[in-house]
Amino acid sequence: MDSPTENKIRSLFKENYQEWCVHSFAFLHNMDEAQDVVQDVLVKIISGNKLEGIANPSSYIKVAVKNASLQRIKTKQKIRKLDETPPLIDYSYEQELIEQENKAKVQNALNVLPDQSKKVFELCVIEGLQYKYTADIMGISINTVKYHLKKAYKILRTTLKDTYLFNLIVVIVYIFFVKK
């Protein structure tokens, strides 16, 4: 014979199962997983006699389903991160030559800059200092810093006509000055 608790759980299951599944589906976007979550929650509740003394068991189960759905998402994200480790990049000789050529172009473009503009560019772009700190270090005004940056970018833009190189200049310059 069934106990009163088992009857209560059965009636809750019959009345709310679809609602709980839809609630879980709202988080997981997969009905099979949503049904699994609801069933797992109900099994835990039945095996632990957790409905004793709960005023609103339907709401309790709904919250438990939400929490279990969010936990499943979190677990899936951790697994996805482990699976998505980037493969080791195998550079060919040709790719190395292209990279060296691009580095040489950037270095030449930086050497074309006037000394003051080059120093401002290095401090602001490469080292990431704010205009104010760059101005303090160099003993110039913030507007002068802005002027030299504008001038540096203009010269680099004309020197590096290849937009690919210009768009990547900050990254390549970072490699030049930080890795040395």
Side-chain angles (χ1 to χ4, degrees):
M1 221 177 211
D2 293 336
S3 69
T5 304
E6 289 177 3
N7 288 335
K8 187 176 185 179
I9 292 173
R10 272 201 188 102
S11 66
L12 281 172
F13 179 81
K14 288 177 185 176
E15 292 171 16
N16 299 298
Y17 178 73
Q18 289 180 339
E19 177 188 343
W20 295 331
C21 288
V22 169
H23 186 63
S24 179
F25 178 80
F27 297 102
L28 299 173
H29 306 290
N30 182 326
M31 189 52 82
D32 291 334
E33 284 188 54
Q35 290 172 343
D36 289 345
V37 166
V38 171
Q39 291 169 9
D40 290 345
V41 167
L42 289 173
V43 167
K44 284 182 183 178
I45 288 173
I46 291 170
S47 64
N49 279 334
K50 294 185 178 182
L51 287 182
E52 303 282 327
I54 294 176
N56 190 347
S58 175
S59 294
Y60 175 84
I61 293 172
K62 189 173 182 179
V63 170
V65 165
K66 172 188 163 194
N67 292 339
S69 299
L70 293 174
Q71 186 61 40
R72 183 165 292 205
I73 291 170
K74 195 178 205 180
T75 304
K76 282 173 53 178
Q77 286 175 343
K78 287 179 184 176
I79 292 170
R80 188 178 308 125
K81 283 181 183 176
L82 290 174
D83 289 343
E84 293 177 354
T85 53
L88 294 175
I89 299 173
D90 183 26
Y91 283 108
S92 68
Y93 180 70
E94 181 180 317
Q95 288 171 323
E96 286 181 34
L97 287 176
I98 291 171
E99 186 177 317
Q100 288 174 359
E101 185 177 311
N102 288 341
K103 284 181 182 180
K105 286 180 183 178
V106 171
Q107 188 64 51
N108 290 336
L110 290 174
N111 290 335
V112 170
L113 294 176
D115 290 336
Q116 197 81 333
S117 296
K118 184 177 181 179
K119 183 68 175 167
V120 168
F121 186 83
E122 288 173 355
L123 290 172
C124 290
V125 177
I126 297 168
E127 293 182 24
L129 293 180
Q130 294 177 352
Y131 294 169
K132 180 180 183 251
Y133 296 124
T134 301
D136 291 342
I137 289 170
M138 296 189 64
I140 57 178
S141 71
I142 294 175
N143 285 335
T144 306
V145 169
K146 291 177 185 178
Y147 166 79
H148 283 295
L149 269 180
K150 184 177 177 181
K151 185 176 180 179
Y153 277 118
K154 184 177 181 180
I155 293 169
L156 290 172
R157 195 176 301 114
T158 56
T159 306
L160 299 172
K161 293 177 184 166
D162 185 0
T163 57
Y164 172 75
L165 281 178
F166 182 72
N167 291 335
L168 293 177
I169 191 164
V170 174
V171 175
I172 295 172
V173 168
Y174 174 80
I175 292 169
F176 267 97
F177 289 97
V178 175
K179 288 196 174 182
K180 284 189 173 182

